[in-house]
C-alpha cells in the first residue's frame, strides 16, 4: 500500500481474491506485532471513519495526520523542484 494511503478490510480481502475474509484479515491485523513495518493504522472503516487500533484512536489519527503532512510536504517539494525556472 503506498505511503499515506488508507484501505479497508473489505478492500484488502478483495485484493487477495478472498472477498469473504474481511473479518479474518481484521483479526490478523489486530494481533500484528510489527505494526510499524506493516502499517495497520492505515486500515479504516468501510464508511471512512477510524476503527479500532491497539495504540488508541488518538494515536491512529495522529499517525495518519503525520503521514498526510509528510506526503503533502514531499509533493510540494517535488513540484517546486520540477518548476521550469529551476531546471537546468
Amino acid at each position: 500500500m503506498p505511503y499515506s494511503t488508507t484501505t479497508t478490510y473489505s478492500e484488502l480481502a478483495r485484493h487477495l481474491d478472498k472477498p469473504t475474509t474481511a473479518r479474518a484479515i481484521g483479526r490478523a491485523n489486530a494481533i500484528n506485532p510489527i505494526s510499524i513495518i506493516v502499517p495497520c493504522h492505515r486500515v479504516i472503516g468501510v464508511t471512512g471513519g477510524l476503527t479500532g487500533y491497539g495504540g488508541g484512536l488518538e494515536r491512529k489519527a495522529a499517525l495518519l495526520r503525520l503521514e498526510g503532512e509528510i506526503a503533502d510536504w514531499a509533493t510540494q517539494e517535488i513540484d517546486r523542484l520540477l518548476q521550469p525556472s529551476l531546471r537546468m
Side-chain angles (χ1 to χ4, degrees), residues 11-78:
E11 289 172 355
L12 289 172
R14 281 192 298 276
H15 179 74
L16 296 171
D17 292 326
K18 306 272 187 194
T20 61
T21 62
R23 293 185 117 192
I25 291 170
R27 178 68 185 134
N29 200 36
I31 61 173
N32 174 11
I34 51 173
S35 61
I36 299 300
I37 298 168
V38 180
C40 56
H41 66 278
R42 294 185 191 158
V43 180
I44 59 173
V46 72
T47 61
L50 295 184
T51 58
Y53 179 65
L57 291 182
E58 296 82 14
R59 185 168 289 140
K60 182 175 188 167
L63 287 168
L64 290 170
R65 200 169 31 254
L66 174 66
E67 286 188 3
E69 290 170 5
I70 290 171
D72 290 346
W73 173 84
T75 300
Q76 291 171 5
E77 281 300 298
I78 290 168

